Amino acid sequence: MYCIKCGVELEDGVKRCPLCETDVPEIKGLEEEFAREYPIVNINLYEMKMKKVKKTVFLSFFTISIISILEVFFQNLIMYGKLEWGYYAIPSILIFDLGLFVFLDSYRMRTNLFLILIGLTAFFLLLDFGDKKLSWSIGRGIPIVFAFYLISLVFSYVWDKHKDDRLKILNFFIFFVGIFLLVLELIISKKMTWSIFSSIPLFILSIMLRYAYKSYKEEFKRRLHR
């Protein structure tokens, strides 16, 4: 700090200026008062900038989607007097918007998964109802969506617990992909054939990664800069 009268630089803890002998004011209380009046706020400018970029990207694509939906809608009315192929095109455009919204990580993982669940369920129901009856959506489409949602929901909790450990996340991801393949074939064919041959190598790889990680944990951390 400096003397308030002559401006000479002062050492820490001095009571008077060695040049003009002016008393050095006590600033400890002033610092505390300053901190109360002007608290330090940590602002992540990069995160704010990325949120702005993501919002701009989504709004740009969403605007294009709205224009495309209106074009498809009026084209179908003019040509056919009703929605023909537009009945399938419009929901497809909307589900693309939902996928982009989720991809841009607009919310937390579990919220995004719930949005995917609702969006895909509605999408499959609309497509299946194109012939005025529900068939494959009830028996296959929606059960597959729910299976994906439940498995991904469990994985989201694993992610929260081990998100700083990349190898563990990869290990669990491979394991859950194997589980999903088994459930997928069970829903579609009511049996397990190809899914077993697909899942077993994934399970073996997951186990090998698990034991390799335990044996060479420090080496993996050094290689992955963790």
Side-chain angles (χ1 to χ4, degrees):
M1 62 180 301
Y2 298 88
C3 176
I4 60 174
K5 184 176 181 180
C6 66
V8 70
E9 187 173 1
L10 304 174
E11 296 180 358
D12 293 338
V14 297
K15 301 297 183 181
R16 287 189 177 189
C17 174
L19 184 62
C20 64
E21 297 187 347
T22 301
D23 291 336
V24 177
E26 181 68 36
I27 64 171
K28 185 176 181 181
L30 295 175
E31 288 178 346
E32 294 176 354
E33 183 178 350
F34 180 83
R36 288 195 300 270
E37 292 291 331
Y38 305 97
I40 298 175
V41 179
N42 294 321
I43 301 176
N44 192 331
L45 295 178
Y46 176 78
E47 184 176 346
M48 292 177 62
K49 183 178 180 180
M50 288 306 299
K51 284 184 177 180
K52 187 176 180 180
V53 170
K54 289 178 180 180
K55 184 178 180 181
T56 302
V57 170
F58 177 75
L59 288 177
S60 300
F61 275 94
F62 186 71
T63 302
I64 295 173
S65 298
I66 294 298
I67 295 173
S68 301
I69 288 172
L70 292 175
E71 181 182 357
V72 169
F73 178 77
F74 287 112
Q75 185 177 355
N76 272 241
L77 287 184
I78 293 171
M79 294 179 64
Y80 310 108
K82 61 178 181 177
L83 280 178
E84 288 286 340
W85 55 269
Y87 179 85
Y88 303 98
I90 292 175
S92 300
I93 296 173
L94 291 175
I95 201 67
F96 169 80
D97 287 334
L98 176 62
L100 179 63
F101 184 79
V102 170
F103 177 76
L104 293 175
D105 197 22
S106 302
Y107 293 107
R108 291 175 60 86
M109 183 184 295
R110 283 187 281 278
T111 305
N112 287 333
L113 287 173
F114 183 73
L115 290 174
I116 292 174
L117 171 68
I118 299 301
L120 286 178
T121 299
F123 179 66
F124 286 153
L125 287 173
L126 279 172
L127 290 186
D128 195 18
F129 196 65
D131 56 358
K132 301 299 185 289
K133 61 180 181 180
L134 297 176
S135 55
W136 60 266
S137 63
I138 300 297
R140 295 180 179 179
I142 295 177
I144 290 173
V145 173
F146 269 88
F148 173 80
Y149 171 73
L150 293 175
I151 293 173
S152 299
L153 186 64
V154 175
F155 179 74
S156 71
Y157 288 99
V158 174
W159 176 278
D160 287 343
K161 186 176 180 181
H162 303 289
K163 59 184 176 182
D164 294 328
D165 197 327
R166 300 173 187 174
L167 202 62
K168 274 191 177 180
I169 290 295
L170 176 62
N171 185 20
F172 281 109
F173 177 77
I174 292 172
F175 176 79
F176 283 120
V177 169
I179 295 294
F180 179 71
L181 291 177
L182 292 173
V183 176
L184 179 64
E185 189 186 10
L186 187 62
I187 292 172
I188 295 174
S189 306
K190 302 296 187 293
K191 60 181 180 179
M192 295 182 184
T193 53
W194 61 264
S195 62
I196 295 177
F197 297 103
S198 301
S199 298
I200 287 179
L202 294 177
F203 294 149
I204 293 174
L205 178 59
S206 177
I207 294 171
M208 289 174 62
L209 282 175
R210 179 70 174 171
Y211 280 98
Y213 180 74
K214 283 185 176 181
S215 302
Y216 302 99
K217 186 175 182 179
E218 296 303 322
E219 180 67 15
F220 278 121
K221 285 185 175 181
R222 187 176 66 83
R223 295 284 183 180
L224 297 173
H225 305 286
R226 301 303 298 170

